[in-house]
Each structure stands twice: as structure tokens, then as C-alpha cells.
Amino acid sequence: MLQFRNFLISVAAGFAATISVLAVMQERQDTSLLKYAVLTVISICFFFAFLTFRRGITHAVLERRYILVGIMILSVFTLISLIDWPLFLNRPWYETVIIDFISLATIFCFFSFIAFLLLKGGYVWQRTEVSKWTILWYMLPMIFVWMFYLLAFFPGNMSPDSLNHWRQVENMEFNNWHPFAYTMVILVLTQIWDSPAVIVIFQMLLLSFVYSFGLYSFRQYGLGKRIAWVAAILWAVLPINGIFSTILWKDVVYSTFIVFLTIFVMKTVLQEGKNLRTWSGIATFTIVLVGIAFFRNNGLPIAILTAIGMLIAYRHIWKQLLTPLVLVSALYVIVTGPVFTAYNIQSANPNESMSIPTQQIAAVVSQDGELTEEQLAYLDTILPINDWNAYNPYLTDRIKFHDNFHEDVIIEDMGKYLSVWFDIVKQNPALVVEAYLKQTSLVWQINKPVDGYTNPYTIDVDPNEMGLETKPVSQTLYDGVEYLLETSRYHTEELFWRPAVFSILIIFFSLIASRKLGAVAWLPILPVLFNTATISVGLPAQDYRYLVSNAMVSIFFLLFASLYKKGKEPAYGVHASRK
């Protein structure tokens, strides 16, 4: 009788939750019946499970006050991230209150249920002997699946950025506008095989190795064999990994290093800093930091700040940690200074870092905000005032690549430009905040804005004068993989193709891990946190690649949260798995 009552409540709650959450996100006519049906079934099953374990869930969430507070904050932020804001503002207030309250309760219940599952069990944090050959075994399913993407889009997918790297190699005229390090990878590998396919194979091997090394490392500290294989297969079949491994973007290699650094920090936590006392550990840490610093132009602060965070956390061995910090900083200064000068390699365009200020100025000008005659005259020297109306809230290209845009005015006196921008911000706070939130929507918003866009990936080789073109091994395979990607994008864009959902999950899993492993479990979030922060102050477009590392690394945070430390055993008399 109790089970039947729970089922009836679950059906009612499932329908209410589905209708409310989808109403928060989009107009009813824009939602397919398939999405309603699938989410309703999932919601009914979820609420039935929630009611079945409600006492344990209540105990788990209330066990530590900061867990409850953390879930509440994440629930509110997730709701804000899901809202279709024009729809929110135009809906009757009473309807908004009902829909948002049910949606918030649903999100809170979801986080609470996952917290209960992670807190009630897991794998004991203990040293285990695991063969290094397992790294190769975990790599095999990933390489096998991803090769189908290469065969479908042979010799690899190339955007204008990719072609810029390739053109530099052909002309032997180099710059660092797009990271010089990635150009050098192309230069070296094409000596083996003069085809973009060799770069794709390199990226597949690198990414699969890093993933597999991570699983091997977790196996060394108690993670079960079955869950490790589930993770390996999941990485293999996720379209995100498959398509990104075939795109010639420096972001793929850079994101792989972000994942590698996160794994290294997690392993440091699990080894209680012992790996930092060995030369092999310090060498690995240094190499990973170098990769992050050189493979994207915003990488240096992420490498330095993460190293400083590690130095603070493990200050009792500060001498060992000072070595990679000094080496990476010195190497970056030497390479981007004297070496670039000696070989006439142009540094990155400093105007690229001005994306957010430029967008905010454009928003104020195009919307007739408050501007002085002096400010208008100065802005006119950069771009004729009427041309500022080319402003797109989500893309800087309309302004910074405008035919009449004079970036040299900005570069010659960056201080003046920032001073004018700061004054405009003070005069138009509402407009500049709105412009900032729209430009950075990729960072914080799960639900794609109605007037916005997401560029999740690229397929095919862009038109070029170098004779590069897409030549699929099989047109049928090409059509099938393209259909898979487009179907995934259409039906699960908010879940898989907007990075904000992964950022939220990373914070959530770190919260749970801090309960099971101690406060030091927050340390692995640093690379993701600093990378997201740098993107938040310089995002030029709504390209998924800028934060694809958050998606790539999120499962490791789940695995991290599945371990527990002795003395912090799971509650409720449930034994943790040790298989």
C-alpha cells in the first residue's frame, strides 16, 4: 500500500516537475512531445526512488550544515542558469512563482538524492597494486570509437583557426596570435605524415592516455574495477570526446592538459603530497604546467595560480613546489621574450584581451547610453560611431573585425582605452552589466539565450587555398556520425553542449568530496576554477571549446567524490564497496 501511494505521488510530482522545468526554459510550443515524454518518465522514476529513500536523504543532507547550504546555493544558481529571461519577465507573476518554486524544489531534490548516494557509500581510500598495462586497456575502447569519427571526417576537421596554424607551417612564417606551441606540434608531426590526420591521431592518443592514466591512478587508491571500465566506455561513446579529438584546435590539447593537471592534483591529495617529494612527481607537475602555459594564451595565469595554490596547501614542502613555479615562469618569459624576438615571432594581439570592455562600450553606444562628447570623439577614432551599431551581444567579431575598426588606437595607448571604458562603466552600470552577462552566458547559463547561439564544434575543412578538404572514407559513415552529432545537439544541448552544467556538477562533487576526504578535496578544482575565471574576463564568442575542459574533467570529480577517507566512513550502516 505504501509503495502504491509513493507511486501515485511520484506520478503527480513527475508531471509537475517536467512541466515546470521545461516552462522555465522555453515556450511550450518550442518543446517537442518526445522531450516531455522522456523527462516525465525519468522524473517519475526519480521521485519514486527519492520517496523510497527519503529518510536517508534527509539524514545525509542535514548531517553537515555546509552540505545543506551548498546544495541550496547550487539549486538557486542552477534555476537562474535554466531561466529563459524574456519569458520570465513577460509571464504573469503568480505563474512565475508556481513554476519557479516547483522547479527549485525539483533541483534541490535531485542534488540531495545524488548527495545521499555518494555519502552513503563508495570506495575506501587505500593504496592498491594495479598493473600499468591497465592504462593501455582503458585506452583501447576510446581509440576504437574515436577512429570512426576520423574515418567519417578524414583527414580531420579544420576551422579558420586551424588553417591559420597550417598556413604558418607551410609558409614558415610564425606568430603567437594562435599559440605558437600548437603550430610547432603540427610542424613536427607533419614531418612524419603530411596530413591533418596525423594531428588527429596525436590528439586521440594524448586524450585517451590522460583519461586512462586518471583511471589507473584512481584504481591505485581504491576505485573499483567495474566503475573504472564504465567510466572508460562512457568517455569513449560521449560525442564530445569523439568530435573534439578530430578537430585541429589548440583548445583540444590545452584542455587535455587541464584534465591532466586536475588528475595530478587529485593524485597529490590521495597520496597526501608524497608524489611532490619525488623528482618524477615534480617533473610531471612541471611538464603539465608548461603545457597549460603555452597551449593557450590565457594559460600562464592558470598554471601559476594553481602552482601557488599547491604551494600554500603543501607549504611544508615549499622548496620542491617552488621549482616548477620558477621554471615555468622563467621559461615563459624567455620563450615569449628573447626567443620570439630573435626569430621574429609576433606576440599575441593585446587587443584580443579587450573583448569584454569592447563589447560593453559597443552596448552603450548602440543603445544610446550616457556618453560625453569627449568620449564619443575618442570612440569615433577607433570605429565610426554609427558602425558601433554592428554590436552583437554574444560575439565580438562584429566589432573587432569590422572593416573600419582601428585597433592600433587601442594598442598604442591601452591605458587611455581602459580609462575611458571605466568611466563609461560608471555612467551606465545597468547596460554594461547586461552586456557582460550576455557575452559570458556560455560560462554561467545552461539554457541558451533566445537571441543567442552556441557554437559547439566544427565539422569539415573550411574552404582554403592549400588544397585541404574533407574526404570521408565512407559517405554513409559521414552521414551517420553527422546525424548522431546533430541529434545529440538538438535533444541534449542544455545537458551536453553548454559547459555551465558541468561547472555546476564539478562544484557539487567537490562539495561532497570535501565531506569524505577533508577540506583538501577542494584543491583539484583550482585548474577548472582559474580557467573559467580567465574565460569570464575575455570570452570573445560562444564557442564551446573555450570550456570543453569542464566537460572532459567532470567525471573525474564524480570518481573523486566516490572515495572516502578512514575516519569519515559512510553513515547509516551501509558498507562501502571495496571491489
Side-chain angles (χ1 to χ4, degrees):
M1 186 65 183
L2 179 62
Q3 294 294 326
F4 182 69
R5 187 191 69 180
N6 286 347
F7 175 73
L8 292 179
I9 295 174
S10 301
V11 170
F15 274 104
T18 299
I19 293 171
S20 297
V21 171
L22 290 177
V24 162
M25 297 173 61
Q26 55 196 199
E27 295 276 10
R28 290 186 179 88
Q29 61 268 25
D30 295 332
T31 309
S32 67
L33 290 176
L34 178 62
K35 185 175 286 189
Y36 272 116
V38 171
L39 288 181
T40 299
V41 171
I42 293 174
S43 297
I44 290 172
C45 294
F46 164 72
F47 279 109
F48 186 78
F50 185 88
L51 290 172
T52 301
F53 297 102
R54 62 186 181 278
R55 292 183 180 177
I57 294 169
T58 302
H59 188 188
V61 173
L62 297 178
E63 184 188 32
R64 287 291 185 275
R65 186 172 297 176
Y66 73 89
I67 295 288
L68 175 61
V69 173
I71 289 176
M72 290 173 63
I73 293 172
L74 283 174
S75 298
V76 172
F77 180 81
T78 302
L79 177 62
I80 293 172
S81 184
L82 287 170
I83 289 175
D84 178 330
W85 287 97
L87 189 60
F88 173 84
L89 296 173
N90 294 324
R91 183 185 288 127
W93 68 268
Y94 54 87
E95 186 177 338
T96 296
V97 170
I98 295 172
I99 289 173
D100 287 1
F101 177 78
I102 295 175
S103 298
L104 182 62
T106 301
I107 296 167
F108 180 83
C109 289
F110 169 77
F111 281 130
S112 299
F113 183 70
I114 302 301
F116 161 71
L117 293 179
L118 290 172
L119 288 170
K120 84 180 186 69
Y123 300 90
V124 64
W125 171 8
Q126 61 183 7
R127 187 79 165 104
T128 307
E129 290 299 322
V130 181
S131 170
K132 292 182 179 179
W133 285 103
T134 56
I135 296 176
L136 177 60
W137 289 115
Y138 292 141
M139 289 175 66
L140 292 179
M142 302 179 205
I143 295 172
F144 175 77
V145 174
W146 299 347
M147 283 300 296
F148 284 98
Y149 286 83
L150 174 57
L151 296 175
F153 301 117
F154 192 86
N157 298 302
M158 301 180 73
S159 71
D161 285 2
S162 315
L163 294 169
N164 181 281
H165 287 287
W166 199 270
R167 193 175 294 109
Q168 289 182 55
V169 171
E170 286 208 341
N171 299 336
M172 296 301 285
E173 295 177 358
F174 304 111
N175 64 63
N176 197 41
W177 287 31
H178 298 292
F180 176 71
Y182 191 66
T183 306
M184 288 299 98
V185 168
I186 295 175
L187 177 62
V188 171
L189 292 178
T190 49
Q191 304 306 305
I192 303 171
W193 181 16
D194 190 17
S195 169
V198 72
I199 314 303
V200 173
I201 293 171
F202 164 75
Q203 293 179 169
M204 286 182 178
L205 291 174
L206 179 65
L207 184 56
S208 61
F209 170 78
V210 169
Y211 280 159
S212 300
F213 174 77
L215 291 175
Y216 163 76
S217 300
F218 273 89
R219 286 288 312 282
Q220 286 182 302
Y221 287 89
L223 186 71
K225 181 186 298 184
R226 291 179 182 176
I227 195 67
W229 272 110
V230 168
I233 294 171
L234 183 60
W235 268 309
V237 301
L238 277 177
I240 293 170
N241 291 320
I243 187 59
F244 269 89
S245 67
T246 66
I247 305 175
L248 275 72
W249 276 339
K250 83 277 186 180
D251 308 271
V252 177
V253 177
Y254 168 82
S255 297
T256 304
F257 274 107
I258 288 287
V259 176
F260 203 169
L261 179 58
T262 303
I263 293 168
F264 182 87
V265 178
M266 287 179 174
K267 194 169 183 178
T268 300
V269 172
L270 295 175
Q271 291 185 327
E272 298 179 308
K274 293 178 183 177
N275 60 332
L276 298 176
R277 296 179 181 274
T278 65
W279 281 111
S280 60
I282 291 298
T284 301
F285 190 36
T286 304
I287 291 170
V288 176
L289 292 180
V290 167
I292 289 174
F294 282 93
F295 275 99
R296 201 154 73 186
N297 290 331
N298 68 314
L300 181 64
I302 297 160
I304 296 301
L305 290 172
T306 301
I308 291 174
M310 293 280 282
L311 193 150
I312 293 172
Y314 297 99
R315 51 191 174 276
H316 58 286
I317 50 174
W318 65 270
K319 291 181 180 179
Q320 290 91 324
L321 283 167
L322 199 59
T323 301
L325 183 60
V326 172
L327 283 176
V328 173
S329 301
L331 184 63
Y332 190 87
V333 170
I334 292 170
V335 171
T336 59
V339 174
F340 277 15
T341 301
Y343 289 93
N344 196 28
I345 298 170
Q346 291 182 306
S347 297
N349 186 349
N351 186 47
E352 289 294 316
S353 62
M354 293 292 105
S355 293
I356 298 297
T358 299
Q359 283 291 85
Q360 291 177 320
I361 291 172
V364 172
V365 175
S366 63
Q367 297 177 59
D368 298 323
E370 182 182 341
L371 292 165
T372 65
E373 291 298 324
E374 184 180 356
Q375 289 168 344
L376 286 168
Y378 172 70
L379 295 177
D380 190 65
T381 64
I382 298 172
L383 181 68
I385 291 300
N386 290 335
D387 289 340
W388 285 94
N389 291 324
Y391 166 69
N392 180 306
Y394 304 96
L395 179 66
T396 62
D397 291 4
R398 299 282 183 84
I399 298 296
K400 70 180 183 181
F401 292 140
H402 195 286
D403 291 341
N404 298 323
F405 189 75
H406 301 291
E407 64 177 27
D408 54 298
V409 176
I410 300 174
I411 296 172
E412 287 174 3
D413 194 347
M414 191 73 74
K416 181 176 181 180
Y417 184 72
L418 290 173
S419 176
V420 171
W421 163 74
F422 186 69
D423 289 337
I424 292 174
V425 168
K426 290 190 296 182
Q427 294 161 202
N428 303 271
L431 286 177
V432 297
V433 168
E434 180 184 3
Y436 176 78
L437 291 175
K438 286 187 174 182
Q439 182 65 27
T440 60
S441 69
L442 184 79
V443 176
W444 64 271
Q445 197 166 359
I446 296 174
N447 191 21
K448 182 181 69 178
V450 177
D451 60 339
Y453 76 98
T454 306
N455 181 24
Y457 49 80
T458 189
I459 61 172
D460 297 334
V461 178
D462 265 39
N464 63 88
E465 74 288 354
M466 295 175 287
L468 297 170
E469 58 180 333
T470 301
K471 297 179 180 179
V473 173
S474 164
Q475 187 61 42
T476 300
L477 180 61
Y478 177 97
D479 294 338
V481 175
E482 183 184 31
Y483 177 78
L484 169 69
L485 290 169
E486 290 303 308
T487 301
S488 169
R489 181 180 177 183
Y490 178 76
H491 291 292
T492 62
E493 182 174 40
E494 298 86 4
L495 184 60
F496 289 118
W497 299 106
R498 297 283 291 183
V501 67
F502 296 104
S503 302
I504 292 170
L505 288 175
I506 286 171
I507 296 171
F508 173 68
F509 293 142
S510 297
L511 177 71
I512 302 303
S514 69
R515 163 66 184 93
K516 301 173 74 176
L517 301 174
V520 72
W522 283 105
L523 200 57
I525 205 174
L526 292 182
V528 170
L529 178 67
F530 293 137
N531 182 54
T532 304
T534 58
I535 294 299
S536 297
V537 298
L539 182 68
Q542 309 302 302
D543 288 7
Y544 188 66
R545 57 179 169 149
Y546 294 123
L547 288 172
V548 69
S549 58
N550 292 20
M552 291 178 171
V553 80
S554 57
I555 299 179
F556 279 115
F557 282 91
L558 172 59
L559 298 179
F560 196 54
S562 71
L563 301 177
Y564 74 90
K565 186 177 182 180
K566 289 183 178 180
K568 294 180 177 288
E569 283 79 0
Y572 332 118
V574 180
H575 295 290
S577 172
R578 300 192 184 196
K579 297 181 181 179

